[in-house]
Amino acid sequence: MNGARHAAHFESLAQQDHATRLGMWVFLGSELLLFAGLFALYAAGRIAHPAAFHEGVAHAEKSIGSLNTAVLLTSSTTVALAVESLRRDRRALSIALLAVTIALGATFFGLKLTEYGAHFRAGIYPGGAGNFFTSHAAPGLPLFWTLYFVTTGLHAAHVCVGLGVLGLTAQAVARGKIGGERAYVLENAALYWHLVDLIWIFLWPLYYLA
Amino acid sequence: MSRNEQALPPSSSGRVLAAGAGLLALAAASYALSFVRLGALGLGLALAIAVLKALVVLWVFMQFGRLPASAKLAALAAFFMLALMLSLMAADIELREPAPAEPPAAAPTPSP
């Protein structure tokens, strides 16, 4: 069928492809439920303290958050193009697109650290700690900022993991271990990156826009 | 080889690029709307645009429509669990009885 080998417990490379794809989607489902708890907490907090959450959004770094949205959406596009390139066995183009994706992901993380730095300088810390909360004493505001740091922090951790996974996959493509016939390996790494993008698509309006 | 075991064929790079451009356009619309005073409608609109963007990512980038049935079932099961959790949480908030009023503080006993 092709030159690539499959693991001993699979009958064919196609069966292995199918199993890994199914496993990846089950994993993505569990990740979705992990973030769903935080989204549910946000919804309950916003219903209980609408004014405080509105005030919290007003103090968010909207420009940095919006720039990060553009960066992450672009990176999702480039990683999807990298997968398409590898499926056509255009390895050099795939590696170049993966390098662009990794650079964009690192930019996202750098901007996120800049954003946290700005909040710390303004006296905003998790748990309602910091000078900010003495001048802004609305009940529910500490909850907003705690959820902000926990949720965006967890998301940033996922960005870091995604960068590592994409880096290792790019290395494997460069060494010729992954080609067009095993493109599903890169496809699964890209799926993880798309999930990171999907989560951010909902975090952005909730914590920065409205 | 069963249909479910077949590898996904390449899709058009032009389609992927168009989806990326569409996502950026939707994000720009969301950003512009955030400067308009819309009250509670603003959050609803922002989330509606977010759902649209999520569908584009799911359909074009993650190729949900071309997945084998078993992977679709796994994704739909996660979505069902998510919907169940959020519905039960909303029902709890809506139907929860108000907390009983705090009992009045005991009057200080007069010193002899």
Side-chain angles (χ1 to χ4, degrees), chain B residues 16-46:
Chain B
V16 172
L17 280 171
L23 285 171
L24 288 175
L26 284 170
S30 211
Y31 182 70
L33 277 174
S34 73
F35 291 99
V36 183
R37 287 178 181 272
L38 294 168
L41 185 65
L43 180 62
L45 268 176

Side-chain angles (χ1 to χ4, degrees), chain A residues 52-65:
Chain A
F53 272 55
H54 194 70
E55 188 182 343
V57 170
H59 284 91
E61 293 287 339
K62 190 197 270 192
S63 53
I64 298 180

Side-chain angles (χ1 to χ4, degrees), chain A residues 26-41 150-151 154-155 157-158 192 195 199, chain B residues 78 81-82 85:
Chain A
V26 170
F27 172 69
L28 294 184
S30 70
E31 287 279 44
L32 180 68
L33 292 176
L34 169 68
F35 276 97
L38 293 168
F39 280 113
L41 272 175
V150 171
T151 314
L154 184 65
H155 179 265
H158 279 71
Y192 185 82
L195 178 82
I199 301 293
Chain B
M81 293 298 291
L82 174 67
M85 185 176 82

Side-chain angles (χ1 to χ4, degrees), chain A residues 14 17-18 21-22 25-26 29 36-37 40 44 62 66 73 77 80-81 84 87-88 187 194 198 201-202 204-205 209-210, chain B residues 1 4-5 7-8 10-11 20 23 27 30-31 34-35 43 50 53-54 61-63 67-68 70 75 78 82 85 89:
Chain A
D17 172 352
H18 172 73
R21 191 179 290 131
L22 172 62
W25 276 92
V26 170
K62 190 197 270 192
S66 303
L73 289 175
T77 308
L81 288 170
E84 294 306 325
R87 281 180 182 154
R88 291 181 166 86
E187 187 188 311
H194 293 315
L198 274 180
I201 281 174
F202 288 95
W204 181 49
L209 294 186
Chain B
M1 185 191 301
N4 275 350
E5 288 180 14
L8 292 183
S11 60
L23 285 171
S30 211
Y31 182 70
S34 73
F35 291 99
L43 180 62
K53 284 190 288 185
F61 292 168
M62 301 174 88
Q63 298 191 300
L67 286 179
S70 54
L82 174 67
M85 185 176 82
M89 188 210 67

Side-chain angles (χ1 to χ4, degrees), chain A residues 76-147:
Chain A
S76 224
T77 308
T78 54
V79 81
L81 288 170
V83 172
E84 294 306 325
S85 303
L86 192 63
R87 281 180 182 154
R88 291 181 166 86
D89 251 335
R90 298 170 70 181
R91 279 182 25 210
L93 180 60
S94 183
I95 292 165
L97 286 163
L98 281 173
V100 172
T101 306
I102 290 167
L104 288 168
T107 303
F108 178 95
F109 190 69
L111 285 169
K112 180 56 65 188
L113 292 180
T114 308
E115 186 183 322
Y116 284 167
H119 289 316
F120 293 155
R121 282 192 297 279
I124 301 173
Y125 292 91
N131 297 333
F132 175 84
F133 296 98
T134 53
S135 53
H136 300 81
L141 207 50
L143 174 64
F144 173 87
W145 284 107
T146 303
L147 279 174

